[in-house]
Amino acid sequence: MNSSNLKSSITTLLNGSGQVMFQQNSWTGALFLCGIFYGACECRMPQVAWGAVIGLISATLAGIMTERKEDSGPQGLWGFNGILVGCVFPTFLSNTWGMWATLIFCSMLSTWTRTAMNRVMESRGINSLTFPFVMLTWIFLLAARTMHGFTPETLPAPELKSHFSFSLDTSIPALVTYWLKGISQVFLINSPAAGTIFLAGIAVNSRRAAIYAAAASAIALAVAIAFQADPHAIANGLFGYSPVLTGIAMGYVFTSYNLKSAIWAMTAIIATVFVQAATNMLLAPLGLPALTAPFCFTTWLFLLPGYRFFVKQQ
């Protein structure tokens, strides 16, 4: 491999990291990876960072093996589902050879599943977003409960919570921590420092996207507190990450820049908080995390009307 091909390969991988938050920028992708490594080591789970790298590489290789069109590869669209798979598996599954084998397999499947889903959805003017990652991860996490080769380690126990006491530290430092964790949890990293790095990475490529990400996490936090949602989930940023993705998608990626589209984006962000809560309850009896499903469901819901005042003309 010559230096030009090596540079192109690295750029493709870094773009894949950045595309998790819709940013086609290798510097953004590099900062995201730095944030993942910092946050994973801070949480004493370095395997999550290495899983992210392996998932990113595996998914990108799957695209190289099978895709005919080269346009989506350099943009990083082969790798973003895979890097999320790589973050999830070491988070919830035991650190065994079986986990790493299925991580590689599922990451590769995510690229092919994305292609298949996009072919079905493109006629409706939407795409699969991160749902290939969500769907495949749910399948593998459920399978892990009956396969000892990659057993669940930190998956929540299947239950349906109905009552909890609402007690939450609402001091300014605590609120800032929750806000930043809402951004860091996009990569399943529970670290305010990592959230700061991720926000800086977005700003490197687009200040508008960074503003929407920051605003979305703040709005989601405010709504969750106002409606007295699960305080443990609030404190760990688990009501923020899907609204962050929705905010970037509806405020930056799929819409034009005007007041009506901004109001539409803010409405979608608020709706995502309730979809997040509902998805959490729906999946609790299965012991599954919601992942980014609330973001996918809400973004599809708000894109499908195709209103002229917000849809960006291609």
Side-chain angles (χ1 to χ4, degrees):
M1 180 181 293
N2 58 43
S3 59
S4 177
N5 288 338
L6 178 61
K7 182 180 179 180
S8 176
S9 298
I10 293 174
T11 299
T12 297
L13 289 171
L14 292 177
N15 283 344
S17 173
Q19 286 285 8
V20 172
M21 298 198 206
F22 301 100
Q23 307 303 304
Q24 185 187 329
N25 185 299
S26 57
W27 288 108
T28 297
L31 281 170
F32 283 0
L33 286 174
C34 288
I36 291 171
F37 270 92
Y38 181 90
C41 291
E42 180 186 338
C43 297
R44 298 183 181 180
M45 295 184 68
Q47 67 271 24
V48 172
W50 292 113
V53 173
I54 293 172
L56 175 62
I57 294 173
S58 300
T60 303
L61 286 175
I64 294 172
M65 288 167 54
T66 57
E67 289 282 356
R68 294 182 181 180
K69 295 181 179 179
E70 294 298 326
D71 56 344
S72 62
Q75 294 174 15
L77 298 178
W78 289 338
F80 70 94
N81 280 291
I83 191 173
L84 291 173
V85 171
C87 289
V88 169
F89 275 44
T91 298
F92 293 114
L93 301 177
S94 55
N95 189 10
T96 65
W97 72 266
M99 184 275 289
W100 292 104
T102 52
L103 185 157
I104 294 170
F105 183 57
C106 185
S107 297
M108 297 181 76
L109 281 178
S110 71
T111 301
W112 303 326
T113 303
R114 172 186 170 272
T115 302
M117 293 185 70
N118 283 348
R119 289 190 64 185
V120 174
M121 293 179 163
E122 62 184 6
S123 64
R124 299 292 182 182
I126 58 175
N127 66 62
S128 59
L129 303 174
T130 57
F131 198 70
F133 145 70
V134 172
M135 181 183 70
L136 291 170
T137 301
W138 282 345
I139 291 171
F140 278 81
L141 291 182
L142 281 173
R145 293 194 181 276
T146 189
M147 292 183 173
H148 294 302
F150 63 123
T151 55
E153 190 166 86
T154 58
L155 271 178
E159 61 177 343
L160 183 60
K161 292 183 179 180
S162 57
H163 300 286
F164 56 82
S165 59
F166 184 82
S167 178
L168 185 72
D169 182 1
T170 55
S171 64
I172 297 299
L175 291 175
V176 171
T177 297
Y178 308 155
W179 169 63
L180 289 171
K181 284 184 178 182
I183 300 169
S184 70
Q185 285 286 4
V186 170
F187 287 98
L188 284 85
I189 300 295
N190 190 21
S191 164
T196 304
I197 297 172
F198 295 153
L199 192 59
I202 300 170
V204 165
N205 187 61
S206 169
R207 284 179 293 178
R208 179 180 163 197
I211 290 170
Y212 269 101
S217 185
I219 292 169
L221 176 61
V223 172
I225 292 175
F227 283 86
Q228 298 188 2
D230 183 351
H232 176 76
I234 294 174
N236 287 287
L238 297 180
F239 278 100
Y241 67 93
S242 275
V244 164
L245 292 173
T246 301
I248 298 173
M250 298 304 304
Y252 167 70
V253 180
F254 298 115
T255 64
S256 56
Y257 188 55
N258 57 61
L259 179 59
K260 287 184 178 180
S261 65
I263 295 172
W264 190 251
M266 294 302 169
T267 305
I269 290 167
I270 294 171
T272 306
V273 180
F274 293 96
V275 176
Q276 178 80 54
T279 307
N280 289 345
M281 295 302 291
L282 180 68
L283 295 175
L286 297 176
L288 288 177
L291 304 176
T292 57
F295 148 65
C296 295
F297 297 153
T298 309
T299 302
W300 289 335
L301 177 65
F302 277 75
L303 282 177
L304 280 172
Y307 294 130
R308 290 178 179 269
F309 70 78
F310 77 87
V311 175
K312 185 181 292 184
Q313 298 299 316
Q314 301 297 329

